[in-house]
Amino acid sequence: MTSSTSPFGRAFHPGAGFSGWLGFAGTLAMVLGVFNIIEGIIALVNTRFFVTPGRLLVWNYTAWGVIWLAFGVLLFAIGLGVLAGQMWARVGGVVLAGLAMIGHFAFMAAFPIWSIISIALSALVMYGLIAPPRGATGVRE
């Protein structure tokens, strides 16, 4: 079987081709990564922002901010990897999107609407990463 090179320098099998779901999932992972980076920075800088009367967050605000900041940076990098057609990015994206869903579920008591939106977008990322065939890429040749 012959292979060619993608714009990102990765060899792939021509039969797999382009997947719109991978393009969507990669882009959405990058957007969710930016959202999580913003959440992490807010938790680190403005501790009163996440305070809701009668609601309890997990850990302290510094730990919460560092966790979401790390998730955001990793999700952004995974989004770039998905667009490049890297299999490690697809696997890592499914794992991180699942962990982000759990994190937002724990956060639901404080901000229910934002948590539901984030959980739904994470589920879309997971579907977009699982559905396409192996070797597909999110960028047209």
Side-chain angles (χ1 to χ4, degrees):
M1 177 178 269
T2 63
S3 64
S4 60
T5 305
S6 73
F8 295 100
R10 181 188 177 278
F12 70 98
H13 302 289
F18 169 74
S19 169
W21 274 110
L22 281 179
F24 174 74
T27 304
L28 189 56
M30 290 169 51
V31 169
L32 283 173
V34 170
F35 287 165
N36 288 336
I37 289 170
I38 292 169
E39 283 184 65
I41 291 171
I42 289 172
L44 288 172
V45 174
N46 186 3
T47 58
R48 296 212 180 266
F49 183 78
F50 291 117
V51 174
T52 306
R55 307 289 191 230
L56 176 66
L57 277 178
V58 182
W59 303 299
N60 61 25
Y61 294 105
T62 303
W64 190 252
V66 169
I67 289 169
W68 284 116
L69 195 60
F71 263 66
V73 169
L74 288 173
L75 268 174
F76 191 85
I78 281 175
L80 291 174
V82 167
L83 290 177
Q86 301 294 322
M87 190 56 146
W88 64 263
R90 288 175 69 176
V91 173
V94 170
V95 171
L96 272 180
L99 290 173
M101 289 172 74
I102 294 168
H104 282 289
F105 184 75
F107 196 54
M108 196 176 294
F111 291 97
I113 294 173
W114 176 247
S115 294
I116 290 171
I117 290 170
S118 293
I119 290 169
L121 292 177
S122 295
L124 279 174
V125 167
M126 289 176 74
Y127 178 78
L129 294 175
I130 294 170
R134 174 178 283 243
T137 182
V139 178
R140 288 199 189 270
E141 291 300 311

